[in-house]
Amino acid sequence: MRVILFLNQIQAGYGGKERADTPLGLEKGGIGSYLMYKDYFLKENLQVLATVYCGPDYFANHKEEVLHKIHNLILKTKAEVLFAGPCFNDESYTEMAANVASFIEHQTDCKTYVACSKENEEIIQQFKEQTTMIEMPKKGAVGLNEALKDIALIIAHDQQDSNRIYR
């Protein structure tokens, strides 16, 4: 399956919260936090074509541009999946990821997934009917490896009946 990743600047490795204005960037293949779940994705034949990233402040100020460019990338690469995460309990990343995923889900044939923790309850409730929201632990909590493995399985097999899907 052909996958595009969507990360914030922190998960991409381009700075902390002070870099929330990081412009939209594109790297071939997987970068940053992808290394945490790379083996699980490879085992499930999830081929990461590229990683798109930006800061939430940049997204807020350039939303239409970001959505347009990601949309074009999905079409150009014929990606089958857009995966955003791990968002952990980062509210600004979760909201940005859910907005991107919802737009792509409704404008293309690409299936979208956002992995975040239950601490993002308001965003989960707002977007769970528009994109697949997958439960994972908050930053620093136990169970991360198990969650990342489950995320790869959910994406590869479109397991909408998984107990990790927010309902």
Side-chain angles (χ1 to χ4, degrees):
M1 224 176 254
R2 300 167 62 82
V3 179
I4 298 291
L5 301 179
F6 179 68
L7 304 178
N8 69 356
Q9 82 285 359
I10 297 169
Q11 295 301 322
Y14 286 97
K17 291 186 184 231
E18 75 284 353
R19 297 283 319 273
D21 61 343
T22 300
L24 185 65
L26 173 69
E27 299 278 342
K28 186 175 179 180
I31 64 168
S33 63
Y34 170 66
L35 300 178
M36 291 190 304
Y37 51 91
K38 176 182 178 181
D39 291 342
Y40 302 127
F41 270 45
L42 291 175
K43 183 177 180 190
E44 297 302 326
N45 295 315
L46 298 171
Q47 176 193 9
V48 175
L49 305 172
T51 304
V52 183
Y53 61 89
C54 71
D57 290 354
Y58 185 86
F59 178 76
N61 293 321
H62 301 89
K63 185 175 180 176
E64 288 190 29
E65 170 200 344
V66 171
L67 294 175
H68 176 74
K69 287 184 176 180
I70 295 173
H71 177 261
N72 286 345
L73 177 67
I74 297 290
L75 296 177
K76 181 178 180 180
T77 62
K78 298 183 173 92
E80 300 163 275
V81 170
L82 174 87
F83 174 64
C87 298
F88 297 102
N89 53 315
D90 183 331
E91 185 177 339
S92 63
Y93 179 21
T94 302
E95 184 172 15
M96 175 176 66
N99 271 287
V100 169
S102 174
F103 179 82
I104 295 301
E105 182 91 20
H106 290 93
Q107 297 295 320
T108 70
D109 293 331
C110 185
K111 184 73 178 145
T112 63
Y113 301 85
V114 177
C116 65
S117 67
K118 63 185 175 186
E119 285 76 12
N120 295 296
E121 182 64 27
E122 193 174 305
I123 299 164
I124 293 164
Q125 291 306 316
Q126 181 182 354
F127 286 95
K128 70 181 183 178
E129 302 297 326
Q130 300 170 45
T131 183
T132 303
M133 303 290 287
I134 307 173
E135 181 181 5
M136 63 171 302
K138 68 180 183 178
K139 193 165 186 110
V142 297
L144 179 59
N145 281 333
E146 181 181 316
L148 294 172
K149 181 179 178 183
D150 289 349
I151 288 166
L153 288 168
I154 289 167
I155 293 171
H157 305 287
D158 196 30
Q159 297 179 348
Q160 295 301 309
D161 60 344
S162 169
N163 63 358
R164 283 209 187 269
I165 303 292
Y166 290 109
R167 310 244 181 260

